[in-house]
Each structure stands twice: as structure tokens, then as C-alpha cells.
Amino acid sequence: MDQKISIKIAGRTFNLTAPTPETEQLYRQAAEAINKRFASFTRSHPGKTASDLLSLVALNEAVIRLDMQREIDLYKSAEKQLESDLDRYLKDQTK
């Protein structure tokens, strides 16, 4: 059942609909992470506009996501190699 929620990001309130309690929790956690990063950039880049700071937050989060995707791809590749090695080993054992 959809749940109407309000979250605050960089001082602005956004009304959203969360289809599940798990999604609501993710929205709230994401908003908290964004606000923490926004506060950090506010301290380290004084004088920048909120728009500039939010752009830096978005860039930072995108870099993190892309790095994590790269790691996942490396693990998938290693997993495929291990499966191939195991299959080859097992075939050799049945000969």
C-alpha cells in the first residue's frame, strides 16, 4: 500500500509516495546521506550555491555508484572464471 511521506533535502521538503515500508526506509536513508554530504560540501566549499553543492553531491554519489558497479563486474568475472575452472576440474576427475 502506498504511503505518502515527506523528506527534507538541503532545507527543501519533498512529498513522495513510497510503495512499500522498505522503499520509505530507503528514501529516508538516502535523504539522510544526501544531507550529510551536502553539509560536508557546505563546510568545504563556502560561498557555493545550494545548486552547486547539490551538483557536487550528485557527482560524488555517481562516482561511488560507478565504482561499486565496477567492483561488482570484477567479482562477476572472477566468479565466472572460478566456475569455469571448477567445471574443467570436475570433468578431468571423471576421465
Side-chain angles (χ1 to χ4, degrees), residues 76-94:
K76 285 181 181 179
S77 177
E79 177 187 23
K80 285 180 184 177
Q81 183 62 49
L82 286 170
E83 285 177 355
S84 175
D85 292 348
L86 179 59
D87 286 345
R88 194 170 32 257
Y89 173 79
L90 291 174
K91 284 179 185 174
D92 288 346
Q93 294 303 309
T94 58

Side-chain angles (χ1 to χ4, degrees), residues 1-66:
M1 185 167 142
D2 289 351
Q3 176 71 30
K4 303 281 185 194
I5 64 170
S6 292
I7 59 170
K8 194 175 252 190
I9 297 174
R12 295 187 62 193
T13 301
F14 297 89
N15 297 313
L16 304 170
T17 302
T20 66
E22 292 81 13
T23 303
E24 177 183 355
Q25 182 180 12
L26 288 173
Y27 281 151
R28 294 192 186 285
Q29 289 173 333
E32 182 179 345
I34 290 167
N35 285 324
K36 284 182 181 178
R37 185 75 60 181
F38 181 82
S40 174
F41 282 131
T42 298
R43 287 189 300 277
S44 63
H45 296 83
K48 293 286 186 186
T49 66
S51 179
D52 288 344
L53 295 169
L54 287 170
S55 294
L56 290 171
V57 170
L59 177 64
N60 186 264
E61 292 302 314
V63 167
I64 291 168
R65 185 185 68 76
L66 291 170

